[in-house]
Amino acid sequence: MLEVMRWFRAISSIPRESGNEKEISNFLVNWAKERNLEVHQDSSFNVIIKKEATEKYKNAPTVIIQGHTDMVCVKTKDSNHNFNTDPIEIIEDNDIVRANNTTLGADNGIAIAYGLALLDSNNIEHPKIELLCTSSEETDMSGALSLKSKNLSGKIILNIDGEEENVFIVSSAGGITPIIRFNIKKENINDNGSNLKISISGLKGGHSGMEINKQRANAIKILARILYSIREYISIISIEGGSKDNAIATYSECIIHTNNKEDVENIINKLYKNIKNEYSFEDSDIKINIEEVHNIKETFSKDLSNDIIDFLMAIPYGVEYMYNNDELKGLVKSSLNIGVIREFNNKIEVIVSIRSAEESLLEEINNKIKIIAKRTNAEVEDTAPYPSWKFEKNSKIIEIIKETYKDFSGREPIITSVHAGLECGILKQLIPDADIVSFGPDIFNVHTTEEYFNKASVERTWEYLKKLLSHIK
């Protein structure tokens, strides 16, 4: 366990936001070369490190241990952290490990730390190992999509990207990220009205796959409701919200111009009470603030303001379809998240994440968005598609997982599907006869500034991983 934490700290000292993985990739290459291990690095900064089997496992099948090097980078509003240059400031409070006002990056730094601890050891029995460290998983999975099968010989893949200790994932959703764009048209302000900044904050947020079933509020959708309620009195000056397409938006803000300040404030305050009541359990700390701003000379055109408001109000958010079969009943089958709204390249962009275990439902939801966009004079670009990973009833690794876990812990493992994009679907396309399972230690509040893990769970999963490898013969 000391070795796992050693390498997690080392990884955390290197900036590794999605798209900024060159340094962590080079670190892994140099690390492997220092130990005379075979290593491959490609132009996407994926890294594969290979270590031969120990003596008793020379005839065992090769095992691919896989994780991603990048992390979702979110910080609190008062944090001065620079994710391009600063190391993650890790805080260890007895058994709890968290970061100082930023995401921790245990998703998926823990997988890389496990892999390095395993390859660095000289006293762990194991089959031949191929440690596969992929890039850009948290954005478009372009790292996994660019892999070449010629550099991998393993047919058993242990994806260590799970977040619940006794849960083993055997299928995952596919997805796509539509980007909706409105052309900006502005008008001069020619009256003595008021400019008000409306801000929404205090939301829990979370992973748009793992937490979408918890019915948490989305700050962009809350803002849409507010703007719709006052649309006849206002024009938009600026609008922004959210940070990542795959994170439930925790904040949003809009500056508006109005000649009916008192009416607008009364309507918002009344709606605020209703929203607080609606989310009294799921998001009890929602805050809606109004403040006056000055020295603004232009607004969006009234037509553009209405188009943006109508789109944000009409677009669905949350769970669309649930499973109802015996094996997966109660799990989410399809959903969508409005992750980001921003001004970019003289356009207003809305970035949406759609997930589904069924490609046909993915297409249906995406078509809904395109219809709403067309009616509100916006364009849609589909980006970052990734495949689903289908459950296989005859998986041999699942049987080894079950037997080993029961022997290790005395409990039956939970075998399940996850409503999140995993690289396993891409790896299955790359290696069609691969046998894949995904698991990991308890990691809480991923993709938020409240992310943390406890060392005890990380240690148990480390011990289980070593025992699992000893059972693969």
Side-chain angles (χ1 to χ4, degrees), residues 198-334:
I198 306 163
S199 56
I200 291 91
S201 61
L203 282 69
K204 293 178 181 177
H207 189 289
S208 67
M210 303 302 290
E211 274 85 35
I212 201 73
N213 63 326
K214 295 180 180 178
Q215 305 295 315
R216 291 176 180 172
N218 182 303
I220 297 172
K221 286 296 288 184
I222 296 294
L223 180 61
R225 289 179 64 182
I226 292 170
L227 295 177
Y228 189 81
S229 71
I230 57 176
R231 67 198 301 269
E232 64 182 286
Y233 300 117
I234 69 165
S235 291
I236 294 174
I237 294 170
S238 66
I239 186 168
E240 65 176 88
S243 57
K244 303 284 182 180
D245 66 275
N246 58 0
I248 299 170
T250 60
Y251 80 95
S252 63
E253 65 179 46
C254 183
I255 300 176
I256 62 168
H257 178 75
T258 182
N259 291 313
N260 304 84
K261 177 184 176 184
E262 185 175 346
D263 290 334
V264 164
E265 289 180 334
N266 288 338
I267 292 169
I268 294 174
N269 288 329
K270 182 177 180 180
L271 183 57
Y272 183 19
K273 292 179 182 178
N274 291 335
I275 291 170
K276 286 283 286 185
N277 181 61
E278 292 165 8
Y279 289 99
S280 59
F281 176 75
E282 296 89 350
D283 256 302
S284 58
D285 293 328
I286 290 177
K287 295 178 179 61
I288 299 175
N289 186 61
I290 308 169
E291 61 181 287
E292 193 160 3
V293 294
H294 304 281
N295 300 321
I296 296 174
K297 298 180 180 179
E298 290 183 320
T299 71
F300 293 171
S301 70
K302 185 64 175 177
D303 286 344
L304 174 59
S305 295
N306 286 339
D307 283 341
I308 292 170
I309 293 168
D310 287 352
F311 178 85
L312 294 177
M313 189 65 181
I315 185 174
Y317 159 70
V319 175
E320 286 282 289
Y321 296 98
M322 301 284 288
Y323 282 103
N324 199 34
N325 57 307
D326 290 339
E327 294 84 3
L328 302 175
K329 188 172 184 179
L331 299 178
V332 179
K333 182 184 287 187
S334 305

Side-chain angles (χ1 to χ4, degrees), residues 369-384:
I369 292 173
K370 289 178 178 177
I371 291 169
I372 300 168
K374 183 177 181 180
R375 300 293 174 87
T376 53
N377 301 301
E379 297 179 350
V380 181
E381 178 188 3
D382 290 335
T383 70

Side-chain angles (χ1 to χ4, degrees), residues 26 35 58 109 128 133 146 158-159 171 231 243 248 279 281 293 305 355 364 373 383 457:
N26 289 342
R35 289 156 180 79
K58 295 291 186 182
K128 182 178 179 179
C133 308
S146 68
L158 306 180
N159 167 277
S171 69
R231 67 198 301 269
S243 57
I248 299 170
Y279 289 99
F281 176 75
V293 294
S305 295
R355 304 175 189 268
E364 181 207 1
T383 70
S457 179

